[in-house]
Amino acid sequence: MKRVFSGVKPTGHLTLGNYLGAMRRWSEVDQHEADALFCVVDLHALTMDHDPARVRRLSRQAATLLLAAGLDPKLCTVFVQSHVDEHVRLSYLLECVATDGEMRRMIQYKEKAAAERARGGSVRLSLLTYPVLMAADILAYGTDEVPVGDDQAQHVELTRDVAVRFNQRYGRTFVVPRTTHPGVAARVMNLQDPTSKMGKSDDVGPGIVYLLDEPDVVRKKVMRAVTDSGRDVAYDREARPGVSNLLEILAACEGGNPNDLAGVYESYGSLKKDTADAVVELLRPVQQRHKELCADAAYVEGVLREGAERAREMARPRVDAAYRAIGLLPAV
């Protein structure tokens, strides 16, 4: 079977964008068709100022939501990144292969570093190098496919480049992975700013639907979504970003096509109402299962422990091989 790897970063509460853009595909498709690993990438949460207790809390919540979204530990491997040392072991080797220029071209680094400079500050070194850690996350497992949203495609391309370069210099060690995208709602946008991604790192905001939002909160956020000038409901990402975002969300919830749905509605109000209803119903079983799992913390801990053990067994031989290939003496 092909091997699939992906993960979520515990820097904020998981959102509708995380679910429609990635998590639902993981549970409905990837874990059934592949040897799949899904990881809470908690080390990536340390690239910015953070509250240690909050990182731990969000890591547990993310793991629980992955299971609530339908990931089955009998079908896939669910674990926490920092529980498997091979990620950090391999990351340094890949830093010795990647270049400074490659790191500084990463869009997220450029945007965050510029924002910090504008405030008179600077970012952590780990923000510059974390795409290499992400590459290590992927390459340690011989990953064939990485299902990600559009915003992470650049990082997977870097992973491919680093894998090819390592193989050419030191001998074939790594599988060169490819990126896969869901067909609809690969990038759900903020309801109040439909030109920006619905990001989980924003702690508050009426434009972000969180997976654990109460139904009334979800409805309020969707009904207050920003639309566009004019009254006709048309699907056009460039000219009509607000309406198009709602159409994509509705289409993703119901398995339809945003272009087709545009012809069904004559008003923004009816589109918003149906979208709100669809999102509430989509999240209802996830929220119910999350509640059940929160009442059984021992089960979640057991899943993560066993998942880390399996992941470690898969990663260690390849990482050991990379150590030998690059010229390091084997441990005695």
Side-chain angles (χ1 to χ4, degrees), residues 123-136:
V123 295
R124 298 182 179 188
L125 177 62
S126 56
L127 182 66
L128 178 65
T129 60
Y130 98 89
V132 178
L133 176 57
M134 182 175 175

Side-chain angles (χ1 to χ4, degrees), residues 271-282:
L271 171 61
K272 288 182 176 181
K273 181 181 182 302
D274 284 359
T275 303
D277 289 342
V279 173
V280 167
E281 290 307 310
L282 180 78

Side-chain angles (χ1 to χ4, degrees), residues 187-235:
R187 197 175 191 191
V188 177
M189 311 307 279
N190 189 296
L191 295 175
Q192 291 298 312
D193 180 10
T195 61
S196 299
K197 186 183 72 166
M198 185 183 285
K200 66 179 179 299
S201 296
D202 301 312
D203 288 337
V204 294
I208 306 163
V209 175
Y210 296 105
L211 294 187
L212 297 180
D213 276 346
E214 295 290 336
D216 288 348
V217 174
V218 173
R219 294 182 195 281
K220 184 179 296 184
K221 289 179 177 180
V222 175
M223 294 304 295
R224 293 180 178 177
V226 167
T227 49
D228 311 290
S229 59
R231 296 184 177 181
D232 58 312
V233 177
Y235 181 66

